[in-house]
Amino acid sequence: MKKKVFIANWKMNMLRRDAFAFMASLRKGERVDFRIAAPYTCLLDLAESGDGVIIGAQNMSEYSHGAYTGEISCQMIKDAGAKFVLLGHSERRNIMGESNEQIHAKVERAISEAMPCVVCVGERLEDREKGREEEVIQGQLQSALDPSVFTKEQLKDVMVAYEPVWAIGTGKNATLKEIDHMHTFIQETLQEMFGLEDDERVSVLYGGSVKLENIKEICSLKTVDGALVGGASLDVNQVNEMIGKLENLE
Ligand code: PGA
């Protein structure tokens, strides 16, 4: 079985000393593709800690370099040891006001600079209540991964994370049926956009209140290639236990 992916999304948490303490107690296991999406300020230390965990950033600029005060470029995160980047997280979209166009530009920047990326998509509660969830997800995928701009070969370093906004940090879970349905829909949409063969399938992770109590059942779904975990990823003991659950999946 393909290794399940576990990405710890630390968001705006963890000082360097917390990151060191986390790493000292981490038991990452052999059968899980464990990664940390860390704050910029921890990237270099984590990348240099040398224990083989794949470290990534949570965002980057769409511009290559220049007069963009406060921004961090793709080259900069690469220089600090990042091996992947999250793009279009719903907190970037909904709190920081990132548009579909901007996220597309960031994906284009990542692909052109050979930086693997995790493109996050997710509908808001009001979209789901109006039955518009598929339309929203399709629009986000079409825009971020515009098939008139990218080739299917360029997708090999791309993962998608499905994170319904109403399930992020709220303790509310999408049901297994809802997750399975949307993951299938995402695969079908990507298939329609790029005509992917089976071995070109893009990994689709699930995120939104994933925790010790539900990670096993969610990641047991065939359509779920792994989890993007926020709140529950800050506690190393919980992370060790969650990894243990993924290690023992049939
Ligand atoms: P959560 O966050 O696990 O705290 O819901 C997930 C995410 O936003 O990536």
Side-chain angles (χ1 to χ4, degrees):
M1 191 177 70
K2 208 171 139 203
K3 283 186 186 179
K4 295 279 179 181
V5 179
F6 182 118
I7 303 182
N9 176 12
W10 284 353
K11 309 192 180 191
M12 199 173 73
N13 297 293
M14 305 292 252
L15 300 181
R16 293 166 59 226
R17 61 163 187 258
D18 306 319
F20 284 127
F22 183 100
M23 294 308 266
S25 303
L26 177 70
R27 292 194 302 271
K28 60 187 165 69
E30 293 299 314
R31 297 176 54 207
V32 176
D33 178 349
F34 180 74
R35 302 166 181 231
I36 300 175
Y40 296 131
T41 47
C42 294
L43 285 177
L44 189 59
D45 287 327
L46 288 171
E48 286 184 343
S49 71
D51 72 349
V53 172
I54 301 171
I55 306 301
Q58 301 167 9
N59 182 34
M60 61 172 216
S61 170
E62 63 270 44
Y63 302 109
S64 69
H65 65 281
Y68 302 100
T69 301
E71 288 292 280
I72 301 278
S73 72
C74 184
Q75 276 190 42
M76 288 169 174
I77 59 170
K78 211 183 255 185
D79 190 41
K83 296 281 189 277
F84 73 96
V85 63
L86 304 183
L87 295 176
H89 189 279
S90 69
E91 286 149 17
R92 304 289 326 160
R93 293 177 189 266
N94 298 324
I95 304 174
M96 306 301 164
E98 286 188 10
S99 63
N100 276 337
E101 293 69 33
Q102 194 177 4
I103 293 157
H104 170 81
K106 290 183 184 213
V107 174
E108 204 168 3
R109 168 70 46 209
I111 288 179
S112 74
E113 301 204 17
M115 172 60 73
C117 61
V118 181
V119 176
C120 305
V121 296
E123 81 284 1
R124 290 171 304 175
L125 186 58
E126 64 214 65
D127 302 320
R128 188 164 270 272
E129 282 172 350
K130 289 185 190 138
R132 293 186 60 233
E133 63 272 19
E134 291 187 356
E135 191 187 319
V136 169
I137 299 303
Q138 191 174 32
Q140 290 175 348
L141 288 172
Q142 281 282 351
S143 168
L145 298 171
D146 186 346
S148 70
V149 176
F150 301 121
T151 62
K152 64 178 181 176
E153 287 69 32
Q154 290 175 311
L155 288 191
K156 70 175 178 13
D157 281 338
V158 174
M159 291 189 209
V160 168
Y162 170 59
E163 300 199 297
V165 177
W166 47 273
I168 296 179
T170 58
K172 279 193 196 141
N173 285 117
T175 63
L176 293 179
K177 202 165 155 223
E178 285 167 336
I179 296 172
D180 199 37
H181 177 84
M182 285 310 275
H183 279 232
T184 305
F185 177 75
I186 289 169
Q187 289 295 357
E188 285 170 0
T189 304
L190 292 170
Q191 162 63 26
E192 262 169 45
M193 285 163 65
F194 291 97
L196 302 174
E197 306 291 333
D198 274 357
D199 62 346
E200 294 168 329
R201 220 173 56 81
V202 172
S203 292
V204 182
L205 315 183
Y206 175 76
S209 299
V210 176
K211 50 185 182 258
L212 194 51
E213 294 74 26
N214 60 19
I215 191 164
K216 187 171 172 199
E217 52 177 18
I218 292 173
C219 288
S220 296
L221 293 171
K222 292 274 172 296
T223 50
V224 174
D225 297 296
L228 180 52
V229 185
S233 75
L234 297 173
D235 177 341
V236 69
N237 296 321
Q238 282 198 42
V239 170
N240 287 339
E241 285 194 53
M242 285 190 276
I243 290 174
K245 292 207 183 265
L246 294 187
E247 289 261 294
N248 292 319
L249 284 185
E250 312 280 278

